[in-house]
Amino acid sequence: MAADALEDNGLRAHAVAAFEAALRRSEEHIHNFSPTICHGLAGLLAICEVFARTTDSVQARASLPVLTERLLAHCSEGLTFGVQNFENPGQYIDDPDFLCGAAGVAAVLWTVSARVPTRRWQRALLIA
């Protein structure tokens, strides 16, 4: 967003390189991520969607279906809100809220699975 506002292609290149490095590092730890937005898989997927849509990052576009499938693997009809947060191994929390719960996961999955005319919810995270 800063690169767009400043019309700075060098800044954009640095942002893309940094995000692609974060994607590579996350691959080895992805199974330890909580599925939620806050410090979790849904948050990484939300940012990845923005990079895939607004930059020329091939890695971001290629990571979208992989991250989406990993997030969906945490979802189940048998759970109270469809997904559970976990902050510590073995400690699962049914949480309906946005950052650490099902509402945020639903918003991210909706955004990556449909042509969403507006992504205003992403402004709350300062990523759109």
Side-chain angles (χ1 to χ4, degrees):
M1 290 173 39
D4 289 341
L6 297 172
E7 298 178 355
D8 186 334
N9 289 331
L11 184 58
R12 174 181 289 278
H14 286 297
V16 170
F19 183 67
E20 288 176 344
L23 282 173
R24 286 189 299 277
R25 281 192 309 276
S26 71
E27 289 173 2
E28 62 189 71
H29 302 288
I30 202 82
H31 297 291
N32 299 326
F33 282 21
S34 174
T36 62
I37 287 179
C38 188
H39 300 95
L41 191 53
L44 181 61
L45 179 57
I47 295 167
C48 189
E49 187 277 331
V50 172
F51 271 83
R53 179 172 38 85
T54 62
T55 72
D56 60 356
S57 174
V58 173
Q59 186 172 2
R61 284 190 297 282
S63 295
L64 281 176
V66 173
L67 294 173
T68 300
E69 287 299 320
R70 292 198 182 183
L71 182 55
L72 286 170
H74 289 279
C75 299
S76 171
E77 291 179 17
L79 298 173
T80 302
F81 299 113
V83 67
Q84 291 179 316
N85 182 17
F86 58 87
E87 296 179 12
N88 298 311
Q91 181 183 7
Y92 297 92
I93 304 163
D94 291 315
D95 189 341
D97 81 9
F98 181 69
L99 286 178
C100 295
V105 172
V108 173
L109 288 172
W110 171 58
T111 300
V112 299
S113 66
R115 290 203 175 269
V116 180
T118 181
R119 293 167 175 85
R120 291 184 190 146
W121 71 267
Q122 289 175 329
R123 291 181 191 164
L125 302 175
L126 304 176
I127 61 173

